[in-house]
Amino acid sequence: MIAKHKASKTNTKLLKFKDFSLELAYYSGSTVYDQWLQLLNDLGDYADFYWDMPQMQYDLVKSDKEWQKFLSHPERQPFKIRIKEWHAWSIEQLYQRTLEIIQLSVTLLRSAKTPKECHQKIKDSLATIVKGMVHSRYNKYEMELSDSYVGITPKMRAEGNMYVTETMKARFDYFISVAALESNRQPKEIHAKLLAACQNNLARLGEFFATCQFSDELKDIYSAYTKAAKRDMTMPTQNIVLGFTIWKELYEHGVDMDTYLELLGYPNADTVKKRLLKFASDKEVLKEIVTHFKNERPESYKTWKQKGEIPYMSIFQEEARIFKQPTKLRTDNETRAMIETCQQKISAYFPLSTEESPRQLIFNSIHPFAVKRAYQSQTKNHEMKSINITVMTPTTDSEHDYLETLAHETTHAIHSIILHRAAEFSVLTKEQADQVPTSVLEDFSQLVEGQFKSTAHSKNSTVKAKYFTSFMQALASWSQVPFSIVQLEIREKFEILLKKGVTELSSEFLEQLQFEYDMKLQKLWEGLLHFTRPSYTAFDWFMPLAPYDALVYMKRFIVLSKNKMATDKPTAKKKLSMNEALSHRFGVRWIASQDGRILLYWLLLETGRNHATEDFGDIILKKDTCECLEELQRIGISAQEFSQRT
């Protein structure tokens, strides 16, 4: 049975500023547009806080009591929007009002009367609001759906008392029975081997295959098991239904796919898809991926050349051998030791990252039910001061993966610290500090992450990297193409239905959608590289609350100055990427250069004024690092920050 969720009512009337007199009364300005922009900024900060904090409690498996204590700290008090009447409203009421604010904001973007200088500010604020309020409204519902599927109750969540439920065990046994039939094995054999791998804790089964070496036999058993599990479409279908509900609400309030992409700084959907496919089939890109593949995963490469294809899991199996990962799950003490080792390596380059305070924290949960994907949270407290929290995933990362991810998330944290210090010292405005696009933040996090890629696999590598620093980074980027296209096209299907007046998805539509996009996904995924992932379905790649996921990592291949993408053949002098320019000026290991890090920090500051990272290569080659340091010192970052490592 398909669960339904009650959608917000459509507001079909033409909204005007006078319809928001309650809200605008709390903001002052020389024009009503100034007041409106202040309202949007406030709403963006509100949305971020009430998205991130409940999500973080869930991800870290904290009880209500523990989380209330965490938020009770004077410097972590919740952000309060200025509109006092809103304080008594439910999240449903706030979300409905936000949809109306979004609707008028889109109208303002299309109006010739709106001052030109307001357009980009409205877009930047709307991008934050749409993402944040959708999550604030539906995060809890999505989490409850996920929990109910495996038998986790609200009471267990509230108490932080998580364990393997009878429902989990029953599903495990059922998927084993299906896998046994299809792989010609005995259910008892599969059951025993998988339980031995996860040390009788089903919550750690994925952890074993992410961090340990495993035999071909175990690889085949786990592949059969996951393939069987993926056939249960209960949760993926629920996600599609939820995604339709959300998209219906946005669509009816003026946000279609092209508008959504415009807010994020992308061209229209057709152009995005064309450029993604162009990237995926570009000869230079493919050549670089294959060269990395040959150098860094030689056994898998040999199999791929001989057979013309290779299972994705075989690549990870070889990675585990190359990096000499353990053959059994780490103990908690071993995981803690890994965390400490990696933090020392990162802090040697970035002392600023070690300055923990009530508003700057790193969480490293080793709970088996903790989140499996690291992220950086940036919110505001009741005094409008920045709260930066990094959530890491040490249990499902091998040491080299953890180091790279820590470098990535640390860069996000430092980026936020620098931007908000700049605002505090009036080097940037608050709006400049708050509205750096996510894609720009990702450009820098991926840039620094690349400097911490392990070279254990290819000490004599001669890969001339234009796009990627390693094979796994290349594969991760290339994988975003099918992910992005599924995200875009399913929502375009929604819009076709909405134009016809359809308000609810039928079972027939869902079945047709699944079949169509499973076929398309496999074709896209295998593509020109022929890496196979038979257990993945299209619905697995659909994020109901996050249409931007995947695309955010691909902006450099979609949007560049003069509307060119990175793989276009240049008609004039070739522009260097940031990594190419830094390597040219300071050496391949530019992160070890004090001047290189000074310039990096300054560029993080510069993103508050300039979002065109595609042009930063030229700046890197010419910018005086003494001038950079002078401006950094104006925001309280001294030369000592860069003298920790020589």
Side-chain angles (χ1 to χ4, degrees):
M1 182 177 177
I2 299 169
K4 299 176 184 177
H5 196 282
K6 189 176 180 181
S8 300
K9 293 181 180 179
T10 306
N11 188 352
T12 56
K13 73 173 184 176
L14 182 64
L15 294 168
K16 298 180 180 179
F17 283 129
K18 66 180 182 180
D19 296 306
F20 299 92
S21 56
L22 167 69
E23 289 82 5
L24 291 174
Y26 285 90
Y27 302 92
S28 60
S30 57
T31 69
V32 70
Y33 294 100
D34 292 335
Q35 293 173 278
W36 191 254
L37 288 171
Q38 290 176 54
L39 168 61
L40 294 182
N41 287 334
D42 242 17
L43 188 51
D45 288 336
Y46 172 90
D48 277 345
F49 190 92
Y50 289 95
W51 163 14
D52 282 21
M53 291 305 170
Q55 180 73 56
M56 214 177 300
Q57 178 187 355
Y58 180 93
D59 291 340
L60 297 171
V61 198
K62 298 292 185 182
S63 68
D64 288 350
K65 186 176 181 180
E66 289 173 315
W67 202 242
Q68 286 164 8
K69 182 179 179 181
F70 175 77
L71 292 179
S72 69
H73 190 284
E75 294 196 52
R76 292 193 290 266
Q77 293 290 301
F79 175 86
K80 289 287 185 183
I81 203 158
R82 277 179 260 185
I83 306 157
K84 292 180 180 178
E85 288 82 354
W86 282 22
H87 297 174
W89 289 9
S90 67
I91 185 61
E92 291 80 10
Q93 289 173 303
L94 288 170
Y95 182 65
Q96 178 58 45
R97 190 57 167 167
T98 299
L99 288 173
E100 294 170 348
I101 290 170
I102 290 169
Q103 184 177 342
L104 177 54
S105 297
V106 173
T107 301
L108 294 175
L109 285 176
R110 306 293 180 239
S111 172
K113 295 180 181 179
T114 303
K116 289 184 179 180
E117 63 270 19
C118 293
H119 277 249
Q120 191 57 50
K121 293 178 180 178
I122 292 173
K123 285 182 186 179
D124 291 341
S125 292
L126 272 185
T128 299
I129 291 167
V130 171
K131 287 191 292 184
M133 285 307 294
V134 165
H135 280 275
S136 297
R137 170 67 180 89
Y138 286 107
N139 247 1
K140 183 179 179 182
Y141 178 73
E142 185 189 40
M143 291 185 289
E144 287 175 348
L145 276 180
S146 180
D147 280 350
S148 66
Y149 176 73
V150 291
I152 295 172
T153 65
K155 184 174 184 290
M156 291 168 65
R157 278 287 174 194
E159 295 175 351
N161 181 25
M162 305 292 289
Y163 51 84
V164 175
T165 65
E166 292 303 314
T167 303
M168 291 181 200
K169 294 175 184 177
R171 291 192 185 280
F172 178 67
D173 290 342
Y174 173 72
F175 297 145
I176 282 176
S177 67
V178 175
L181 283 173
E182 296 186 349
S183 62
N184 198 27
R185 296 176 185 273
Q186 291 298 315
K188 288 184 179 180
E189 176 195 4
I190 298 178
H191 194 277
K193 290 185 182 296
L194 290 181
L195 281 182
C198 66
Q199 298 176 0
N200 293 313
N201 186 347
L202 291 180
R204 301 188 71 185
L205 185 59
E207 179 185 341
F208 173 83
F209 288 95
T211 62
C212 299
Q213 294 187 53
F214 46 90
S215 65
D216 287 342
E217 180 189 34
L218 202 51
K219 177 191 70 176
D220 293 341
I221 286 174
Y222 188 62
S223 295
Y225 170 79
T226 54
K227 187 176 180 180
K230 290 294 183 181
R231 287 185 182 169
D232 184 348
M233 298 302 295
T234 306
M235 271 307 301
T237 301
Q238 298 279 29
N239 283 335
I240 295 290
V241 173
L242 177 57
F244 178 74
T245 296
I246 293 168
W247 202 251
K248 176 178 180 292
E249 292 167 342
L250 292 175
Y251 183 80
E252 291 174 342
H253 288 84
V255 181
D256 59 10
M257 193 73 254
D258 285 345
T259 301
Y260 186 88
L261 291 170
E262 180 187 354
L263 298 180
L264 298 178
Y266 292 88
N268 63 38
D270 285 343
T271 302
V272 167
K273 287 186 287 184
K274 286 176 184 176
R275 292 183 180 179
L276 284 169
L277 292 172
K278 183 174 182 180
F279 159 78
S281 60
D282 183 86
K283 290 181 179 179
E284 280 191 16
V285 171
L286 292 171
K287 182 179 179 181
E288 185 171 322
I289 293 174
V290 171
T291 305
H292 276 298
F293 188 23
K294 182 179 180 180
N295 278 22
E296 299 168 30
R297 301 291 181 273
E299 291 179 20
S300 297
Y301 174 80
K302 184 178 179 180
T303 301
W304 177 73
K305 287 291 287 184
Q306 290 173 344
K307 297 184 177 181
E309 64 178 25
I310 189 166
Y312 197 74
M313 198 168 177
S314 294
I315 296 171
F316 281 94
Q317 185 184 25
E318 183 180 3
E319 178 181 20
R321 290 196 299 268
I322 288 171
F323 288 99
K324 298 179 181 178
Q325 291 171 200
T327 56
K328 62 180 181 179
L329 289 167
R330 291 186 301 247
T331 65
D332 289 351
N333 285 338
E334 287 171 335
T335 298
R336 292 188 183 99
M338 177 198 76
I339 293 169
E340 184 176 354
T341 297
C342 292
Q343 287 180 337
Q344 288 173 352
K345 290 179 180 179
I346 297 297
S347 64
Y349 294 97
F350 303 115
L352 191 62
S353 68
T354 64
E355 297 178 7
E356 282 209 2
S357 72
R359 292 187 290 109
Q360 184 175 329
L361 298 164
I362 298 179
F363 282 117
N364 278 289
S365 177
I366 58 175
H367 196 292
F369 284 88
V371 65
K372 311 304 181 190
R373 183 177 179 180
Y375 60 89
Q376 168 70 18
S377 165
Q378 301 167 18
T379 60
K380 299 283 179 58
N381 68 7
H382 65 298
E383 295 178 333
M384 296 296 292
K385 292 181 179 178
S386 179
I387 303 173
N388 298 294
I389 300 176
T390 301
V391 176
M392 294 296 295
T393 55
T395 58
T396 53
D397 282 340
S398 57
E399 184 167 335
H400 69 280
D401 285 332
Y402 181 87
L403 179 66
E404 294 165 15
T405 304
L406 184 61
H408 183 107
E409 301 302 338
T410 296
T411 306
H412 276 312
I414 291 174
H415 204 156
S416 177
I417 291 167
I418 288 173
L419 289 170
H420 290 99
R421 279 198 187 182
E424 289 172 16
F425 285 89
S426 300
V427 172
L428 297 176
T429 66
K430 174 187 175 296
E431 289 74 22
Q432 286 176 319
D434 287 345
Q435 294 178 355
V436 177
T438 304
S439 57
V440 172
L441 304 179
E442 279 300 323
D443 283 346
F444 280 94
S445 286
Q446 291 183 47
L447 174 71
V448 175
E449 177 187 339
Q451 287 289 292
F452 290 87
K453 295 289 182 185
S454 175
T455 56
H457 49 264
S458 53
K459 292 181 180 178
N460 299 315
S461 175
T462 57
V463 179
K464 187 176 181 181
K466 177 181 178 182
Y467 304 108
F468 316 107
T469 56
S470 72
F471 172 65
M472 293 311 292
Q473 185 194 49
L475 187 56
S477 295
W478 195 82
S479 302
Q480 304 308 314
V481 174
F483 187 178
S484 298
I485 288 176
V486 165
Q487 289 260 70
L488 290 172
E489 290 197 354
I490 287 180
R491 287 178 172 85
E492 288 181 316
K493 293 278 189 182
F494 291 167
E495 291 184 6
I496 292 171
L497 294 180
L498 292 168
K499 287 175 183 176
K500 295 178 179 178
V502 176
T503 59
E504 189 175 307
L505 299 183
S506 67
S507 297
E508 182 182 7
F509 171 83
L510 289 165
E511 289 173 6
Q512 291 174 348
L513 189 71
Q514 180 191 344
F515 177 77
E516 177 183 350
Y517 279 91
D518 278 355
M519 296 294 289
K520 187 161 191 172
L521 177 66
Q522 287 303 321
K523 186 176 179 180
L524 285 169
W525 178 248
E526 294 176 16
L528 296 173
L529 288 176
H530 302 289
F531 296 156
T532 61
R533 294 184 85 167
S535 65
Y536 265 74
T537 72
F539 286 9
D540 291 318
W541 294 74
F542 181 84
M543 304 289 109
L545 277 60
Y548 55 86
D549 207 343
L551 270 180
V552 69
Y553 304 107
M554 299 300 291
K555 196 165 189 178
R556 65 187 174 121
F557 301 112
I558 300 171
V559 181
L560 282 184
S561 57
K562 297 181 181 179
N563 227 21
K564 283 188 172 289
M565 63 178 288
T567 52
D568 283 343
K569 298 296 181 280
T571 55
K573 184 179 178 181
K574 173 183 173 292
K575 287 187 177 182
L576 296 181
S577 68
M578 288 194 289
N579 188 59
E580 287 175 310
L582 286 164
S583 298
H584 179 80
R585 185 170 177 182
F586 303 110
V588 174
R589 185 68 175 161
W590 54 262
I591 199 73
S593 163
Q594 291 182 24
D595 281 347
R597 295 198 302 282
I598 289 171
L599 187 50
L600 171 68
Y601 272 43
W602 181 83
L603 289 170
L604 297 178
L605 169 60
E606 178 66 6
T607 60
R609 299 177 288 233
N610 181 359
H611 300 164
T613 55
E614 64 273 11
D615 297 325
F616 279 19
D618 290 340
I619 296 174
I620 289 166
L621 295 176
K622 300 172 184 176
K623 186 67 180 178
D624 186 331
T625 55
C626 291
E627 292 179 4
C628 294
L629 183 58
E630 286 178 10
E631 188 165 27
L632 291 171
Q633 288 172 331
R634 287 176 57 194
I635 64 171
I637 298 176
S638 69
Q640 189 176 1
E641 170 71 17
F642 309 102
S643 62
Q644 298 299 308
R645 185 178 178 91
T646 58

